[in-house]
């Protein structure tokens, strides 16, 4: 159902063309080290990614290695896909990430964004919000505009095999919001965006640039939702959060299968606006006082200690305290939910992130590689994985890809560290370890790890007993009620054939590069154009052949019908001196050249043979067939007469209608006794009046006017006599 284009080169690749160039500043290879805050969604068996900011290291012809950062506008028409049917090992990923994360083209209607939101169900996704580069070369969309990709038919709507892109008209909401926490709920066809950053007075927001008025310098206190049930007719809602819920950016929100329509739980993040957290100006960092840092740290810690639960069916918020191994202040992390087999408890796994507080000289020096679990309904935190600081990251995404595994994609490493060796990671929720191999068919049911059951009670299959100290006595009613809906999981995925995972390494980077040549999308576009042209030419040739074949069959059918008429009425054509060959519709004497008349004959007129004596038995009566070659009588008519098949058919039809055969025939008188045979002599043409007595005919024409074809209908019966033996009894 999806069209995959060039590969995204996320490893080290060498540009062969650069070897021949002598310019010492020519880029010969690139190594991607980070993918900062893309927007992503898991839809059936594929993880889709869009936007974000890609950067790393590049090696020049002269051997110099320097950092690089792609402009968002350089890859604005790209969409990335991870096919979860494709197995891989961690060693394979380290040198061949481009074979797992693949690139395809998307609509160029909307420039690429960072800190956006991919809102999805099992049939479509919508790219909503985010910030774009500050540039005069970008045409910025309106405030009420978003972009959707329809992937699978829904509610009777048919789609092309590759899906379709379309514009979405926002109603009651604005796209000017970025870095909100968002979650997709396919079983309810709903998606939610919690908090985020906005502009002054909800005006336009852009990335860092010369126009300070476009910076996302304010925090959003909104919960935005979209109902995706009706493809192409999505409905949006914009609710203001209660004052007890502080706004933030870089947080997370998850969906729990409890209550009539499920529940949302929001936690983490930072109170620092996106305009400050994404600045590249060290002076901005230095301007943040120690008191400001202390306030941000305190707020960030509260976001982990105090979580907020939303009852979707009843539109009601709850606030609940947590305890246990509470994580430090954390923002720009990722999270997934795994429920026990008896649905008695739900574990929220969170991975990575950063403190959300700037240091004196650098903003991101304290990233995490840790995994924490918040158990519901006990609201107990448990640290289950300490991690490796060298592999710590923030601004990544992760998705649950089976009952017991999550996949981490991209992110930004600590300081100047590069994530190329661990760009994709798979964490086992049962064993609490990162795995070296991913096999889509090798999975298990989720089992609550012992380190967690030691805190909440029960076993690996469920039966948790620990309850929270409830801030609101009605909250347990929501969390203890099992979700009545159907949650569809598309795993386990069937592995692709090995040939699909061992494709040759691309010889050029698929990351858009400004090398002075053609844009990356031009060669595929030209190839597609020529391919369509060839297909169109072939189609025209086939249609032309079918048309000629149809004409030939029609002509053959017509000739066959005409031949049947000719065979039945050849005598008529012979009498009228008409050539009824297959190559001519009519014959005009002399029209076919002199050579045809050299033998003294005319086409259609038989030559006379020498008469022979015929000895007939005594009991046989011979009726002489009169000579029908009355050239003198018919030559005047045939000289300038052109008779077509249609004329013959009409005249024959008219003649048949008035033929004497259709009328009662008088009985012929007995023939006279046979006379003795006489010496042979050449036959002489009979006169027009000497017709056999046994051949009735219409009233003869007046002697004053010559006979014509219309006044003398001629048939085979009026021309030929039958020689028939008669028995002695009949005589």
């Amino acid at each position: 159902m999806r069209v995959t284009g060039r590969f995204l080169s996320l490893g080290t690749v060498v540009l062969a063309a650069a070897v021949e160039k002598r310019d010492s500043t020519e880029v010969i290879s690139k190594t991607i080290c980070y993918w900062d805050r893309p927007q992503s969604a898991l839809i059936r068996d594929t993880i889709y990614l869009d936007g974000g900011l890609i950067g790393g290291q590049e090696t020049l012809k002269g051997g110099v290695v320097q950092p690089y950062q792609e402009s968002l506008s350089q890859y604005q028409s790209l969409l990335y896909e991870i096919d979860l049917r494709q197995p891989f090992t961690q060693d394979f990923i380290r040198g061949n990430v481009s074979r797992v994360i693949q690139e395809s083209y998307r609509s160029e209607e909307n420039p690429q964004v960072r800190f956006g939101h991919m809102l999805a169900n099992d049939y479509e996704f919508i790219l909503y919000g985010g910030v774009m580069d500050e540039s005069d070369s970008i045409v910025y969309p309106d405030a009420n505009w978003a972009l959707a990709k329809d992937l699978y038919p829904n509610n009777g709507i048919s789609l092309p095999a590759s899906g379709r892109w379309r514009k979405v008209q926002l109603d009651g909401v604005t796209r000017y919001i970025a870095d909100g926490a968002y979650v997709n709920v396919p079983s309810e066809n709903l998606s939610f965006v919690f908090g985020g950053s906005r502009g002054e007075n909800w005006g336009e927001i852009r990335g860092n640039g010369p126009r300070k008025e476009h910076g996302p310098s304010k925090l959003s206190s909104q919960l935005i939702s979209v109902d995706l049930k009706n493809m192409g007719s999505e409905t949006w809602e914009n609710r203001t959060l209660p004052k007890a819920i502080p706004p933030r950016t870089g947080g997370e929100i998850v969906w729990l299968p409890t209550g009539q329509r499920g529940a949302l739980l929001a936690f983490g993040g930072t109170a620092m606006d996106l305009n400050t957290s994404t600045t590249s100006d060290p002076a901005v960092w230095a301007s943040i006082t120690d008191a400001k840092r202390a306030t941000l740290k305190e707020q960030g810690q509260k976001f982990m200690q105090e979580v907020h639960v939303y009852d979707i069916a009843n539109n009601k918020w709850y606030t609940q305290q947590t305890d246990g191994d509470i994580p430090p202040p954390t923002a720009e992390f990722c999270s997934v939910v795994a429920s026990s087999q008896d649905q008695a408890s739900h574990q929220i796994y969170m991975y990575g992130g950063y403190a959300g507080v700037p240091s004196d000289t650098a903003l991101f020096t304290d990233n995490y590689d840790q995994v924490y679990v918040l158990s519901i309904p006990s609201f107990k935190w448990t640290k289950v994985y300490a991690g490796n600081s060298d592999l710590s990251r923030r601004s990544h995404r992760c998705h649950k890809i089976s009952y017991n595994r999550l996949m981490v994609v991209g992110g930004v490493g600590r300081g100047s560290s590069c994530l190329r060796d661990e760009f994709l990671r798979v964490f086992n929720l049962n064993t609490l370890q990162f795995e070296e191999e991913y096999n889509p068919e090798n999975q298990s049911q989720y089992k609550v790890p012992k380190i967690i059951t030691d805190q909440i009670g029960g076993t690996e299959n469920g039966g948790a007993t620990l309850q929270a100290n409830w801030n609101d006595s009605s909250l347990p009613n929501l969390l203890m009620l099992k979700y009545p809906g159907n949650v569809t999981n598309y795993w386990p995925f069937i592995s692709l054939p090995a040939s699909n995972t061992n494709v040759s390494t691309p010889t050029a980077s698929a990351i858009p590069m400004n090398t002075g040549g053609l844009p990356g999308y031009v060669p595929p576009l030209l190839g597609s154009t020529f391919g369509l042209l060839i297909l169109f030419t072939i189609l025209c040739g086939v249609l032309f052949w079918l048309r000629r074949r149809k004409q030939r069959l029609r002509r053959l059918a017509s000739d066959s019908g005409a031949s049947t008429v000719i065979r039945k009425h050849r005598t008529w054509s012979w009498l009228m001196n008409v050539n009824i060959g297959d190559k001519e519709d009519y014959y005009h004497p002399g029209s076919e050249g002199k050579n045809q008349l050299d033998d003294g004959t005319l086409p259609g007129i038989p030559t006379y043979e020498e008469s022979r004596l015929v000895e007939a038995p005594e009991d046989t009566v011979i009726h002489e067939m009169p000579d029908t070659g009355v050239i003198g009588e018919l030559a005047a008519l045939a000289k300038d007469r052109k008779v077509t098949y249609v004329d013959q058919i009409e005249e024959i039809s008219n003649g048949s209608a008035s033929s004497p055969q259709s009328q009662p025939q008088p009985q012929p008188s007995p023939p006279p006794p046979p006379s003795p045979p006489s010496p042979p002599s050449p036959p002489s043409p009979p006169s027009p009046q000497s017709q056999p007595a046994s051949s009735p005919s219409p009233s003869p024409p007046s002697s004053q006017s010559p006979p014509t074809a219309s006044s003398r209908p001629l048939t085979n019966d009026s021309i030929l006599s039958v020689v028939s033996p008669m028995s002695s009894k009949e005589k």
Side-chain angles (χ1 to χ4, degrees):
M1 299 292 289
R2 302 172 295 277
V3 177
T4 301
R6 301 174 294 139
F7 288 125
L8 168 65
S9 295
L10 297 177
T12 302
V13 291
V14 178
L15 303 177
V19 176
E20 302 178 2
K21 296 188 178 181
R22 302 177 180 273
D23 188 357
S24 62
T25 63
E26 182 71 25
V27 177
I28 61 173
S29 69
K30 280 190 175 185
T31 300
I32 184 169
C33 290
Y34 63 84
W35 195 350
D36 186 3
R37 214 61 170 163
Q39 49 194 334
S40 67
L42 170 62
I43 303 178
R44 303 194 182 196
D45 60 1
T46 303
I47 295 176
Y48 294 88
L49 300 106
D50 182 79
L53 191 63
I54 296 174
Q57 299 172 347
E58 59 186 12
T59 302
L60 306 182
K61 177 68 174 180
V64 177
V65 179
Q66 64 185 22
Y68 80 93
Q69 178 174 290
E70 300 287 1
S71 170
L72 293 177
S73 61
Q74 286 183 288
Y75 53 100
Q76 64 182 15
S77 61
L78 303 179
L79 177 72
Y80 305 93
E81 303 174 9
I82 301 176
D83 192 335
L84 297 175
R85 300 171 298 170
Q86 180 172 322
F88 60 83
T89 64
Q90 205 59 47
D91 288 339
F92 180 83
I93 286 293
R94 291 187 179 103
N96 303 278
V97 178
S98 61
R99 304 188 191 185
V100 179
I101 302 181
Q102 297 181 344
E103 167 192 309
S104 63
Y105 291 97
R106 73 171 176 87
S107 171
E108 298 185 10
E109 297 288 343
N110 195 16
Q112 207 86 347
V113 301
R114 268 199 300 167
F115 304 102
H117 320 93
M118 186 177 286
L119 311 180
N121 60 4
D122 289 337
Y123 303 93
E124 64 175 296
F125 66 76
I126 297 177
L127 304 179
Y128 169 73
V131 293
M132 305 174 190
D133 276 357
E134 176 72 80
S135 173
D136 292 333
S137 63
I138 296 178
V139 178
Y140 295 94
D142 297 332
N144 58 349
W145 194 90
L147 189 65
K149 176 66 181 283
D150 299 327
L151 299 168
Y152 301 96
N154 188 19
N155 292 333
I157 297 178
S158 60
L159 298 173
S162 60
R164 67 176 180 185
W165 289 96
R166 59 182 170 85
K167 298 178 182 179
V168 176
Q169 191 74 17
L170 303 179
D171 184 15
V173 298
T174 175
R175 73 169 182 86
Y176 297 142
I177 190 169
D179 202 26
Y182 70 97
V183 65
N184 298 317
V185 189
S187 62
E188 294 290 325
N189 289 300
L190 294 173
S191 295
F192 298 88
V193 179
F194 171 84
S197 287
R198 61 177 178 85
E200 188 75 29
N201 298 320
W202 287 95
E204 183 177 2
I205 57 175
R206 301 180 188 175
N208 290 307
R211 302 177 180 87
K212 302 293 184 181
E213 67 274 12
H214 291 154
S217 57
K218 302 295 180 181
L219 297 178
S220 169
S221 297
Q222 305 302 120
L223 177 69
I224 296 173
S225 64
V226 57
D227 189 334
L228 304 168
K229 182 178 181 180
N230 297 315
M231 180 182 288
S233 301
E234 297 81 4
T235 56
W236 298 78
E237 289 192 49
N238 188 354
R239 301 181 180 91
T240 300
L241 299 173
K243 292 183 179 180
I245 301 177
R248 69 199 73 183
T249 62
E252 279 287 295
I253 188 170
V254 297
W255 180 79
L256 302 173
T258 64
Q260 290 295 327
R261 304 190 68 185
L264 305 180
L265 189 147
F267 64 108
T270 177
M272 182 170 53
D273 63 80
L274 192 60
N275 193 53
T276 302
S277 66
T278 58
T279 184
S280 58
D281 187 357
V284 175
W285 302 341
S287 66
I288 300 176
T289 63
D290 291 340
K292 178 65 173 177
R293 291 191 188 92
T295 300
L296 290 173
K297 185 176 181 179
E298 180 181 352
Q299 290 174 319
Q301 190 63 61
K302 185 177 180 180
F303 293 159
M304 305 305 297
Q305 292 175 340
E306 195 174 79
V307 299
H308 309 281
V309 180
Y310 178 65
D311 183 352
I312 298 176
N314 297 301
N315 187 27
K316 183 178 180 180
W317 282 98
Y318 301 88
T319 299
Q320 178 62 42
Q321 296 293 324
T322 66
D323 62 5
D325 296 330
I326 300 176
T330 309
E332 295 187 10
F333 56 99
C334 71
S335 61
V336 300
V337 175
S339 300
S340 63
Q341 296 181 33
D342 65 352
Q343 300 290 306
S345 67
H346 313 280
Q347 279 59 245
I348 303 172
Y349 288 74
M350 61 168 287
Y351 168 72
Y354 84 107
V357 180
S359 63
D360 293 339
T361 57
L363 186 60
F364 307 115
T365 58
D366 51 358
N367 294 350
Y368 306 134
D369 188 46
Q370 304 166 346
V371 177
Y372 285 85
V373 174
L374 176 62
S375 297
I376 305 298
S378 63
F379 289 90
K380 190 81 171 182
W381 281 105
T382 305
K383 185 177 182 179
V384 299
Y385 181 78
N388 182 349
S389 60
D390 292 337
L391 299 177
S392 62
R393 70 191 67 201
R394 63 167 179 87
S395 301
H396 51 283
R397 300 293 185 186
C398 63
H399 297 279
K400 184 180 173 185
I401 58 174
S402 70
Y403 291 112
N404 65 318
R405 285 178 294 186
L406 69 85
M407 179 179 286
V408 180
V409 184
V412 180
R414 178 189 294 267
S416 60
S417 64
C418 187
L419 297 177
R420 65 176 178 269
D421 293 340
E422 302 288 343
F423 209 83
L424 285 180
R425 306 182 75 187
V426 176
F427 187 78
N428 191 308
L429 306 179
N430 290 348
T431 64
L432 305 177
Q433 296 293 324
F434 282 98
E435 298 182 334
E436 289 296 317
E437 179 182 359
Y438 168 67
N439 185 338
E441 298 182 8
N442 182 17
Q443 63 171 305
S444 303
Q445 289 292 327
Y446 173 67
K447 299 178 181 180
V448 183
K450 186 176 184 302
I451 191 174
I452 298 176
T453 59
D454 288 346
Q455 299 292 325
I456 66 174
T459 67
E460 63 181 14
N461 297 322
T465 58
L466 184 64
Q467 299 290 314
N469 295 320
W470 303 106
N471 290 35
D472 190 317
S473 59
S474 61
L475 180 57
N477 297 331
L478 171 65
L479 300 179
M480 299 298 181
L481 179 62
K482 294 182 180 180
Y483 175 63
N486 295 321
V487 178
T488 302
N489 295 313
Y490 290 88
W491 56 67
F493 310 117
I494 300 176
S495 298
L496 292 174
S499 59
N500 290 344
T501 61
N502 294 323
V503 293
S504 59
T505 304
T507 58
S509 173
I511 301 176
M513 299 175 57
N514 187 15
T515 58
L518 290 174
Y521 62 86
V522 171
L525 182 61
L526 291 176
S528 301
T529 302
F530 284 119
L532 291 175
L533 182 60
I534 293 173
L535 289 176
F536 179 76
T537 303
I538 294 174
L539 179 61
C540 290
V542 171
L543 293 177
F544 179 76
W545 178 81
L546 290 174
R547 183 173 181 271
R548 291 291 301 272
R549 182 172 180 270
K550 183 177 181 181
Q551 290 176 344
R552 186 172 69 255
L553 292 176
R554 184 181 299 169
R555 184 170 60 252
L556 290 175
S558 176
D559 292 347
S560 176
S563 299
T564 301
V565 174
I566 291 170
R567 286 194 300 271
K568 291 183 178 180
H569 305 285
R570 186 173 299 275
T571 303
W572 168 256
S573 301
W574 171 48
L575 287 173
M576 295 301 297
N577 195 25
V578 176
N579 187 322
I580 53 174
D582 292 340
K583 296 183 180 181
E584 294 289 343
D585 288 341
Y586 60 88
Y587 170 76
H588 182 220
S591 63
E592 298 194 23
K594 180 178 180 180
N595 292 338
Q596 298 186 17
L597 306 179
D598 288 344
D599 58 356
T601 62
L602 289 175
I605 301 178
T607 58
Y608 292 98
E609 297 181 357
E610 182 180 358
S611 301
R612 294 178 299 171
L613 292 177
V614 179
E615 295 183 4
E618 296 181 357
D619 58 347
T620 302
V621 177
I622 298 178
H623 298 270
E624 180 182 6
M625 183 177 70
D627 185 1
T628 56
V630 191
I631 299 178
E633 179 182 345
L634 300 178
L637 297 176
K639 181 178 180 181
D640 296 319
R641 179 171 176 77
K642 298 181 181 180
V643 182
T644 65
Y645 293 147
V646 176
D647 296 331
Q648 294 181 53
I649 293 171
E650 289 181 353
E651 292 182 274
I652 291 170
S653 175
N654 294 335
S656 299
S658 59
S659 174
Q661 293 180 354
S662 61
Q663 301 175 7
Q665 302 293 325
Q667 294 295 329
S669 59
S675 59
S678 59
S681 61
S684 59
S687 64
Q689 288 79 15
S690 61
Q691 296 295 335
S694 61
S695 299
S697 61
S699 300
S702 173
S703 59
Q704 286 80 9
S705 59
T708 63
S710 59
S711 61
R712 285 186 58 192
L714 300 177
T715 64
N716 293 344
D717 294 333
S718 64
I719 296 174
L720 300 178
S721 297
V722 179
V723 178
S724 59
M726 299 180 61
S727 63
S728 302
K729 182 178 180 180
E730 291 174 334
K731 294 197 288 185

